[in-house]
C-alpha cells in the first residue's frame, strides 16, 4: 500500500534533518508520483526539516558541517519539487535581499547559510557571491529595488568595507529605501550600530528573524 | 628596552619560564597583520620582503615594548605554494581567490615538495624575516612564527566548504591531505626553530564554531600531537591558538601537548583558566574588535585590567594577550593604552593591590 501524504512528508523532513542528499531525490519522486502537492512537500517536509536543522544548530547539537549537509539535501529535494509548483503557490510580493561577502574576503559558508535560510523563509535572494566589490551592492540594490542589503565577513581586516557600502547607499540616494543587515564572526551589535546598519544577527537562524523585523513581516 | 619597563622581554620571559624575577606580566597584543601601521607601511609594502616584514616588527617593538615580535608565515602559505591563487590588496591581508584543489580525486597530484622551506620563495622570505629579527633583536625580544595547523593548511588547499563535506563523505582524502601537510609542517617548524623562533600554532578552521568535537578528535588531534612532539624534539616551544568558540575542545587541545594555550575572546577567560591553568600557561583574551579597534583607550585599559584580574593567579602563569590578530583599523593609541595598562595592573608582585582602591 502506498504511504500516506503525512508519512511521505515526514520522510522528506527526515531526509533533510538526517542529511540524506541522495535518498531525498527518490523520496521526492515517489511523493510526486503519488500525486501529492509539491508546495506542501517543500514547506511541511523539506523546509520544516531545514528549520529543525537550524534549531539543532542553535542548541549546539549540530555544527556548520551538519547544517551544510542538511542544506545539500534541501537543495537536492527542491530541485525535484520546485518545477512542479503551481503558479498560485508562488508568493507574489516577496521581499528582495541583495547578499554577499564583502571585498577582500572569500569565506562564504556563513553567507550561503543565511541565503538558504532567507530563501526558505520566502525572501527573493540576489546573491553577489564572495569578494564582492563594494559598488556592486549599491548597483544591484538599485537595479532590483531591494528591501535589504545583507553583508557578511569573517575577517576583521575587511569589516571596514561594510561602512563604505552604507555610505555609498547614502550617496546613491537610496539609503532610506533599503535596510542594511550585517553579520559574520568579528561583527557585533556595537559595530553594526556604529556603521549605521539596522540589522545584526549572530547566526544564520537569527538572520531570518532580523530580516523579517526589518521589512515588517510578522 | 621600553622606557617604562625595568626588564627586557627576553629577561622577563626567562623569569617566567624559570620561576625567576619579573617586573610585570608578559603582555602581547597580537601585532601581526597590522604591523605596517606603526612603521608607516601598507600591508603590501610590509609583505614585500623579509627585511620589510622585520622592519615593521622592529618599529612596533620600539613604540610599544611588547613581549614578542612575530614572523607571519601565515595561514594560506601552504596552499599558495601548491598553487592556490591569492589576492594582492594594497593594505589588507591577502585572501584566497581560488583554491588549487577543487576535485578531490586530484589530491594525489599535488606536489608537496613545493611547500618545503628550501623550495618555497614565501617560506624563504619569512625565514629571512625570522633571521633578521633574531640577529638584530634576538637578545632583547623573543620571536615567534605564526603558522597554520594541519587542518587550516588543508583549508588553504581546497575550499572550506568542500573540506567540511569531505570530512563526512571522503574522510580518506582528508586524511591523505592532513598527512602530507603534517609532514611539510614538520620541516617548516624545524627551519623556523633553527632561526630561534617560538612557534605560534594557529588552527582557525578547527574552531568549535565550525567542526564538532568528534571531528576534532579524528581529524585534528592526532596530527597535532605529532607536530607538537616534533617541535619539542627540535628544541622548540609552541603556543597553540584556535579562534572562535573552543569551549568544547579546550581539554583536547591541552592533551595535544603544547607549551601554552591562547584563547579567543569567544571563550570566557575564567572558563579557560579552569581547564588550561592546571597544566600550562594561559594567554588571552582582550577583545580585538570591540575593545582594541572600536574602543577608547579607557575601554582598553578596563579590558586589560579585567583580564589580569581573572588570569593573574594561574598556576603555571598567565600572559595578557588579545583574543586574535589585530587589523589596520586599530588606533595605535589603543595599543599604547594596552601596554600602559599591562604595566600598571600587571606590575609584580601582581595581585589585588594593583587594581583595588
Amino acid at each position: 500500500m502506498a504511504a500516506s501524504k503525512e508519512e511521505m512528508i515526514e520522510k522528506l523532513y527526515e531526509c533533510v534533518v538526517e542529511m540524506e542528499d541522495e535518498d531525498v531525490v527518490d523520496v521526492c519522486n515517489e511523493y510526486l508520483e503519488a500525486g501529492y502537492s509539491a508546495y506542501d512537500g517543500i514547506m511541511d517536509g523539506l523546509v520544516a526539516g531545514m528549520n529543525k536543522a537550524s534549531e539543532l544548530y542553535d542548541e549546539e547539537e549540530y555544527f556548520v558541517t551538519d547544517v551544510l549537509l542538511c542544506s545539500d539535501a534541501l537543495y537536492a529535494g527542491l530541485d525535484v519539487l520546485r518545477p512542479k509548483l503551481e503558479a498560485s503557490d508562488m508568493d507574489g510580493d516577496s521581499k528582495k535581499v541583495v547578499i554577499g561577502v564583502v571585498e577582500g574576503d572569500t569565506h562564504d559558508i556563513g553567507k550561503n547559510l543565511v541565503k538558504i535560510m532567507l530563501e526558505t523563509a520566502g525572501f527573493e535572494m540576489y546573491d553577489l557571491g564572495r569578494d564582492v566589490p563594494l559598488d556592486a551592492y549599491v548597483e544591484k540594490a538599485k537595479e532590483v529595488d531591494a528591501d535589504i542589503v545583507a553583508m557578511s565577513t569573517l575577517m576583521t581586516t575587511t569589516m571596514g568595507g561594510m561602512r563604505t557600502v552604507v555610505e555609498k547607499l547614502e550617496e546613491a540616494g537610496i539609503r532610506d529605501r533599503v535596510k542594511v543587515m550585517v553579520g559574520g564572526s568579528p561583527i557585533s551589535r556595537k559595530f553594526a550600530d556604529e556603521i549605521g546598519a539596522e540589522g545584526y544577527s549572530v547566526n544564520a537562524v537569527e538572520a531570518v528573524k532580523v530580516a523579517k523585523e526589518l521589512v515588517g513581516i510578522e | 628596552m621600553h622606557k617604562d619597563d625595568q626588564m627586557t622581554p627576553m629577561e622577563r620571559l626567562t623569569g617566567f619560564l624559570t620561576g625567576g624575577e619579573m617586573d610585570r606580566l608578559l603582555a602581547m597584543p597580537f601585532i601581526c597583520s597590522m604591523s605596517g601601521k606603526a612603521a608607516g607601511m601598507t600591508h603590501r609594502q610590509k609583505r614585500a620582503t623579509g627585511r620589510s616584514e622585520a622592519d615593521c616588527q622592529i618599529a612596533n617593538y620600539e613604540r610599544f615594548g611588547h613581549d614578542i615580535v612575530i614572523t607571519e608565515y601565515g595561514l594560506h602559505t601552504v596552499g599558495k605554494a601548491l598553487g592556490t591563487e591569492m589576492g594582492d590588496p594594497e593594505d589588507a591581508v591577502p585572501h584566497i581567490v581560488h583554491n588549487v584543489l577543487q576535485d578531490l580525486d586530484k589530491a594525489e597530484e599535488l606536489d608537496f615538495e613545493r611547500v618545503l622551506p628550501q623550495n618555497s620563495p614565501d617560506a624563504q622570505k619569512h625565514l629571512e624575516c625570522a633571521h633578521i629579527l633574531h640577529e638584530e633583536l634576538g637578545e632583547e625580544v623573543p620571536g615567534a612564527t605564526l603558522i597554520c595547523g594541519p587542518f587550516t593548511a588543508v583549508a588553504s588547499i581546497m575550499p572550506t566548504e568542500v573540506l567540511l563535506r569531505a570530512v563526512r563523505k571522503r574522510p580518506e582524502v582528508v586524511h591523505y591531505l592532513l598527512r602530507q601537510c603534517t609532514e611539510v609542517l614538520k620541516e617548516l617548524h624545524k627551519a623556523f626553530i633553527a632561526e630561534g623562533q617560538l612557534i605560534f600554532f594557529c588552527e582557525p578552521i578547527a574552531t568549535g564554531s565550525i567542526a564538532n568535537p568528534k571531528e576534532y578528535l579524528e581529524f585534528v588531534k592526532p596530527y597535532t600531537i605529532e607536530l607538537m612532539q616534533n617541535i619539542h624534539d627540535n628544541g622548540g616551544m609552541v603556543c597553540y591558538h584556535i579562534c572562535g568558540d573552543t569551549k568544547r575542545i579546550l581539554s583536547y587541545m591541552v592533551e595535544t601537548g603544547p607549551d601554552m594555550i591562547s584563547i579567543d575572546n569567544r571563550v570566557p577567560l575564567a572558563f579557560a583558566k579552569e581547564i588550561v591553568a592546571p597544566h600550562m600557561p594561559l594567554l588571552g583574551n582582550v577583545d580585538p574588535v570591540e575593545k582594541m579597534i572600536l574602543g577608547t583607550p579607557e575601554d582598553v585599559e578596563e579590558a586589560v585590567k579585567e583580564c589580569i584580574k581573572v588570569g593573574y593567579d594561574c598556576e603555571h602563569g598567565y600572559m595578557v594577550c588579545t583574543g586574535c590578530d589585530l587589523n589596520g583599523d586599530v588606533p595605535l593609541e589603543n595599543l599604547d593604552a594596552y601596554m600602559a595598562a599591562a604595566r600598571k595592573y600587571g606590575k609584580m608582585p601582581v595581585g589585588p593591590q594593583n587594581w583595588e582602591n
Side-chain angles (χ1 to χ4, degrees), chain A residues 6 14 84 110 178 215:
Chain A
E6 285 65 35
E14 275 168 17
K84 306 293 176 196
V178 53
V215 296

Side-chain angles (χ1 to χ4, degrees), chain B residues 10-26:
Chain B
M10 195 52 106
E11 289 167 345
R12 196 172 293 119
L13 179 66
T14 307
F16 181 85
L17 295 174
T18 59
E21 209 183 315
M22 289 169 80
D23 58 342
R24 61 162 170 83
L25 290 179
L26 288 154

Side-chain angles (χ1 to χ4, degrees), chain B residues 117-137:
Chain B
Q118 64 274 23
N119 300 334
S120 154
D122 280 313
Q124 288 294 326
K125 178 174 81 181
H126 299 304
L127 281 164
E128 187 200 341
C129 171
H131 184 79
I132 293 168
L133 289 173
H134 192 59
E135 285 282 300
E136 298 180 11
L137 274 185

Side-chain angles (χ1 to χ4, degrees), chain A residues 131-172:
Chain A
D131 194 12
V132 176
L134 305 179
D135 286 318
Y137 287 99
V138 184
E139 284 158 24
K140 197 67 176 176
K142 269 205 240 168
E143 183 195 320
V144 303
D145 194 16
D147 299 287
I148 295 176
V149 168
M151 297 180 274
S152 92
T153 187
L154 184 70
M155 295 159 58
T156 55
T157 49
T158 46
M159 290 164 52
M162 294 180 169
R163 185 196 304 269
T164 311
V165 171
V166 174
E167 289 163 3
K168 282 176 184 290
L169 289 168
E170 258 158 42
E171 285 162 24

Side-chain angles (χ1 to χ4, degrees), chain B residues 235 342 357:
Chain B
N357 66 69

Side-chain angles (χ1 to χ4, degrees), chain A residues 88-126:
Chain A
S88 60
D89 295 332
M90 312 297 262
D91 194 357
D93 63 335
S94 57
K95 301 286 183 182
K96 293 170 181 157
V97 183
V98 171
I99 192 168
V101 179
V102 293
E103 189 164 29
D105 191 355
T106 48
H107 298 93
D108 61 356
I109 296 178
K111 183 269 292 172
N112 291 341
L113 292 176
V114 171
K115 179 188 157 195
I116 291 164
M117 298 296 176
L118 290 178
E119 211 164 43
T120 308
F123 286 87
E124 190 174 322
M125 302 301 293
Y126 295 88

Side-chain angles (χ1 to χ4, degrees), chain A residues 62-108:
Chain A
Y62 271 16
F63 291 79
V64 170
T65 313
D66 304 290
V67 178
L68 206 60
L69 292 167
C70 291
S71 74
D72 286 350
L74 168 76
Y75 271 119
L78 284 175
D79 282 347
V80 181
L81 295 187
R82 244 189 208 151
K84 306 293 176 196
L85 280 175
E86 309 282 332
S88 60
D89 295 332
M90 312 297 262
D91 194 357
D93 63 335
S94 57
K95 301 286 183 182
K96 293 170 181 157
V97 183
V98 171
I99 192 168
V101 179
V102 293
E103 189 164 29
D105 191 355
T106 48
H107 298 93
D108 61 356

